[in-house]
Amino acid sequence: MKIDKNHISDHNNGHLDKHRQEFEFLEKRLRDTDHPASKILDNLSKLQIAIPSWALGSGGTRFGRFPIGGQPRNLEEKMADIGLLHQLSQMASRISLHIPWDIPEDVEKIKATADEYGLAFDAMNSNTFQDQPGQAHSYKHGSLSHTDPAVRRQAINHNKEVIDYGVQLGSKSMTVWLADGSNHPGQSNLSKALKRTGESLAEIYAHMPADWSLFIEYKPFEPYFYSTVIPDWGTSYLLASDTGDRAYSLVDLGHHLPNTNIEQIVATLISRGKLGGFHFNDSKFADDDITVGSIKPYQLFLIFMEITQGMAANPHGNPDIAYMIDASHNLKDPLADLLESLESIGLTYIKAALVDYESLEQAREENDISRCSAILQDAYQTDVRPILREFRRRQGGAIDPVAFYREQNVREELVKERGSDSSASGL
Amino acid sequence: MKIDKNHISDHNNGHLDKHRQEFEFLEKRLRDTDHPASKILDNLSKLQIAIPSWALGSGGTRFGRFPIGGQPRNLEEKMADIGLLHQLSQMASRISLHIPWDIPEDVEKIKATADEYGLAFDAMNSNTFQDQPGQAHSYKHGSLSHTDPAVRRQAINHNKEVIDYGVQLGSKSMTVWLADGSNHPGQSNLSKALKRTGESLAEIYAHMPADWSLFIEYKPFEPYFYSTVIPDWGTSYLLASDTGDRAYSLVDLGHHLPNTNIEQIVATLISRGKLGGFHFNDSKFADDDITVGSIKPYQLFLIFMEITQGMAANPHGNPDIAYMIDASHNLKDPLADLLESLESIGLTYIKAALVDYESLEQAREENDISRCSAILQDAYQTDVRPILREFRRRQGGAIDPVAFYREQNVREELVKERGSDSSASGL
Amino acid sequence: MKIDKNHISDHNNGHLDKHRQEFEFLEKRLRDTDHPASKILDNLSKLQIAIPSWALGSGGTRFGRFPIGGQPRNLEEKMADIGLLHQLSQMASRISLHIPWDIPEDVEKIKATADEYGLAFDAMNSNTFQDQPGQAHSYKHGSLSHTDPAVRRQAINHNKEVIDYGVQLGSKSMTVWLADGSNHPGQSNLSKALKRTGESLAEIYAHMPADWSLFIEYKPFEPYFYSTVIPDWGTSYLLASDTGDRAYSLVDLGHHLPNTNIEQIVATLISRGKLGGFHFNDSKFADDDITVGSIKPYQLFLIFMEITQGMAANPHGNPDIAYMIDASHNLKDPLADLLESLESIGLTYIKAALVDYESLEQAREENDISRCSAILQDAYQTDVRPILREFRRRQGGAIDPVAFYREQNVREELVKERGSDSSASGL
Amino acid sequence: MKIDKNHISDHNNGHLDKHRQEFEFLEKRLRDTDHPASKILDNLSKLQIAIPSWALGSGGTRFGRFPIGGQPRNLEEKMADIGLLHQLSQMASRISLHIPWDIPEDVEKIKATADEYGLAFDAMNSNTFQDQPGQAHSYKHGSLSHTDPAVRRQAINHNKEVIDYGVQLGSKSMTVWLADGSNHPGQSNLSKALKRTGESLAEIYAHMPADWSLFIEYKPFEPYFYSTVIPDWGTSYLLASDTGDRAYSLVDLGHHLPNTNIEQIVATLISRGKLGGFHFNDSKFADDDITVGSIKPYQLFLIFMEITQGMAANPHGNPDIAYMIDASHNLKDPLADLLESLESIGLTYIKAALVDYESLEQAREENDISRCSAILQDAYQTDVRPILREFRRRQGGAIDPVAFYREQNVREELVKERGSDSSASGL
């Protein structure tokens, strides 16, 4: 489903007077700072968030799923959905593919479709946490870390195949989320499993073209409940360091133990040049995978502060971070929820850009804590919505994407087009 | 599959010499205490653990499932499996049914089958966390707490129907695990949802025969990730108190926030006469549902201590607690895992029985903490396996049920009988 | 130290132009809603936060303390400090006394001093978690829950004495934070300790005048590390219900296990008419007692939403909630930090007032989750600082209290007056 | 206070008959395994646990302290206390000093005293988390990570001085627990603080003799509550790797976020040759510092399994691990509590030695999880107290140290000798 540009213009015109007043008021206020609206608007266009191909359908839990109608039935329809998100938000020009859920059967056609929607291919994702029909060996007891070399071989080959698909599509990176782990104390020789994993990753790395990067994700638990082979950033960092210069850690917001200071992990990894990827979602309890910023928006602000400052200093050449939304849409319409997520990311990014880092550094040097707090609050309390709206307006997006999506009855249209019992490949 | 008694005798005879030595050594040591082996053996026969009908198949996570062969294909086969567990362990003479996964189509036949295996029907379980085909209203946004009275009506009627099935089978209690909750802050009016739930429970309670009990389970999260309507024991207690004298709280070990002192909850509920049911499993991170006692065996010991002391004092007439194993067998053979769980429960129960409560109370009165610790350690460090083996031997069970199960290649037999791709109803 | 009103006027005049522009812009935007600025400004004057007498000095941890200069040396100086906070913020007109740290030797003089600063006496606080010199019995092994009736008697009498002081001062409530608990499994008979506590509370309650309220605080751990007698809201609620109509639960933000949904506890307690007191602070790990809103400002917003909606519905006559800041100022200047806290409370209160509850309820009824989220975001993203500044300006307070405090070198003045090694009674 | 050897003999003789029976029964059972009692008894003598000089007095919390009588008043008395612990347990021949709490004024005399009690000097400990009287710069805002080079210089010099004391006493290692951190988001430039810390550690390392080791401790929070400079094993590992070959991580059981899999961290660090030190205690909530094994004894067993297997394989030459008890004795008699801790460590060490690692490895290779569980349970369920008693008996220690300590009224004797209001330097 393609949105007629005129509809967007109509929507924007309806909001224009109010928006203009608000934007001008804020623009004036920021004019004489070192972060004027113009600069932020420039930077915003560099903030592009990948949407994974498996996020367009309804998610669920082990207790079940309540599917929505109009889910995309194939890769082309998924790309259409992401195209729509990008058209409205101007922040979602990248797609992250999962193999085998979204094998590009006809590469040229897929590339043409991507061009049509203005999309590029972000990191590729492999899957060794499920068994596929006809698969020779089961991943029940692991994949890259398995005790049996034949299973490891199968898993390595699958990863290589995923890279090959990515090369054809123009992707430049590979994300390995290794679910391997154990449910029962004593079940696994933890050191050997880690060693075998390192060896497997080395083979995958060697298969990548020289301009590719490898992102190594970590997660403390689920789907395994006693140990995972890569439970924390430290283990991911060890593996990335062992594997090679273009191997990096990937931080997913939901993959941490209670109370973890995630922003500090981000700071440390960037300071070592090892933060490759970042997955957005939010959680109150575990890997809840709900809308980013819906539970701990201030934590997200603190993370963006570390990214902003860290990438400005960047002592070890950390590459541009590959951002992706990795949430599960169990109750909300996936497209509406993704638009909400993009809104949340955009607003928080802007708030982090409003921080007066120079004064902050000075206050830190002087251990003037009250002043540090005041500087953060001054940025965080600001209502930055006018800037994000202005960004979208200028780029041809919608001033209020969620409202537009609802006004246009997009979901109803998709149900008509795809049926109410369509089902998306994925979880 | 029925085990020939002679095979069990053969097994036991093979272990008898070693066992006899160990049992006699321990028996002698306990002879002059207030908890001689004879007394513990007597009490053990009263410890019967229900097995839920959905626990005989492989479990999984939202990321997938790795099914085992030989899973029971219907209620009769599930009862056969539980019959086997009971035959070997002598501790599993109760079955807990889930509706609609295990609707007893032919009640008389099911009752005869139960008699054949020596099984009784424990608490009935309803399901309003999933939609069934052909269902008029969806539970996506709740059931007993739903904003729409029509959905509440459907959910209440389903619970009543479950009670009706239970009455026919001779069950005497109903467990409500209400998954209802919300994923997003602001999504739900928390107070109203609680109020509606209380009203729904009152209707279900009114439908129960006068000798039935209602167990109200609590859980802080999953499948909802921002709030659940009954998140903690306090809310469950409030609802049980409002609902009636025969309404009780149900404690599931995995349904607590990190670091919760569960034994204290058990103590408080018993002291108020409100602990009705108890679900066994273990967890390291969330509701991991792994083998009870495999992660925190000492916590289980402390819980059994509170139960033992609490039920001995019992100031408000707490009823006998309905025990059930509620674990998920994602990697291990479900039957082997359940035998392990029964072993763990039996051993821990015996250790709690070894505590010298009279001396403990005296030491507590005197605030002699070192003495309290010594009394607990003296019980916990004891190797009580000989008593549990002797219990099973005397009752006709197997001295070592897990070993016997493996020696007899039970799983292989079940695969032959039921096929390698059989699938059990349930999660 | 008293601030000259002219200095405040000067400060305000310096900010007036900018403030007026911002306020008018916001006022206009809110004019046609059901929460115009005028209404919020009216309500704000009812939001008065108590400052505890022990919060004016530097706090510390078991590892030590880094004291600041100019700490108040006696109750009069503490009242002067609170008077200053109120003068600047117009939100801190209440003082909460701790006995024996702040025994009012000369009641009439203390009352006159309070009048001078415009302060009233909020809830009284007792202390049975420390031994005082010359005390007959130690509280090492408990106070209201102690096994020895003589110790309980001493603790009860102390609480009665605290009430007596409060009566003289015009206080109307008593807060019991009972630290009692145990460090070692088995050390305490948990049920008996709870029963004894209930009996002790009944005696304290009986001693209160008929127009007084009793607030029962809960806390899961610290200073005891295995169990506390009142670990959670459920236990607090049980005790309050047993004790009497004017006994209530008290929620302290830092007294919860990781990931607790505190706003839901608030909603449940209000819906039962049992939320008496509320203590502000923030925490990332445990009872960290840092500046409220500095870690989880959105959680605070959600709590204020529950309070706002709950008190509007108020089915069981919940009394006005007694608010207090209960933070520890380990690094920041206590007065600056308290001003920050008052700012944070004020801003969040206003944001919660901006929520369109009528539309929210409608969206909830329709399970329109995206709409619910949008309504919350619309309030939370608004920059409400102009309203809080306007409130203070109109009441005679400072437009920017923290800035004013720093401009006036208040701390330096206090050091001159009180010395650099003054020490405040308290922790 | 020195214990007369005859008293120990008398005690042992009183327990001998019962002990002999139990030991022989167990010895016979283990005879034909690959871990006979004789081998375990040999290994036990290599398990020596350091006692820190600050652990002999009563501990407390920020809310206060309840001191016991008879606390050691100086280093000599502390050594006497540790001498007693070692005499009874035969497992505590090492003392870990804290500077400035226990500066050895007369080195030769201290060394002679150590010889007298059979004690050696384990890792030295510095203190930059408190200000000492007369100190030029405050550590309020950090020490090795401070923004001001003068403060860093002072902290580095203090650490060098601690090393110098250690060299004189024959110690061979230095432990740095760096409390540095921040309480407020934004207060600290996290990357710069880490960088400065690395530079400071390099200077300290360079000052150590060539046969010394540096242990770098990590802790997620307390005394700082937003961030610590070395929050987790990953950061500690990074710093140790940067610093040098003889720099290692130190694991303290209480210094982890909720639910951390500590045994996996131990496995990973050993497999990299980087686990230098290990601190024993236990906790339910935070850094509770209670008796090791009193809350999670099975976790301790799993950790000792990883140590046993890891040190047997030892691919990167991990050094012998420096063990220390780091607990706080808030309620129990410190000496009785330390004897309990030593008992717990000894028993768990033996249980880990009973694991049939060869069979376990085979079962792991075959992914036979039930068999893995059975192997662990077989070791853990064994009552190994007879072996530990026999070890002590043979070495001249007491069969039951805690009982002996109580029978001999040691505390009462110490009170007579040292007074009831003696106070130990330390926390």
Side-chain angles (χ1 to χ4, degrees), chain C residues 73-106:
Chain C
R73 292 161 297 183
N74 49 49
L75 182 49
E76 284 75 9
E77 290 185 354
K78 291 179 179 183
M79 294 172 79
D81 281 5
I82 298 174
L84 170 72
L85 296 173
H86 185 52
Q87 195 182 6
L88 298 183
S89 71
Q90 294 297 313
M91 276 174 57
S93 65
R94 306 189 69 81
I95 174 167
S96 200
L97 288 195
H98 179 110
I99 306 298
W101 295 337
D102 291 294
I103 293 177
E105 306 288 357
D106 181 341

Side-chain angles (χ1 to χ4, degrees), chain A residues 29 368 378 380 385 406, chain C residues 29 368 378 380 385 406:
Chain A
R29 189 167 135 200
D368 184 347
D378 198 35
Y380 188 70
R385 289 174 294 179
R406 293 170 68 110
Chain C
R29 189 167 135 200
D368 184 346
D378 196 37
Y380 188 70
R385 290 175 294 180
R406 293 170 67 110

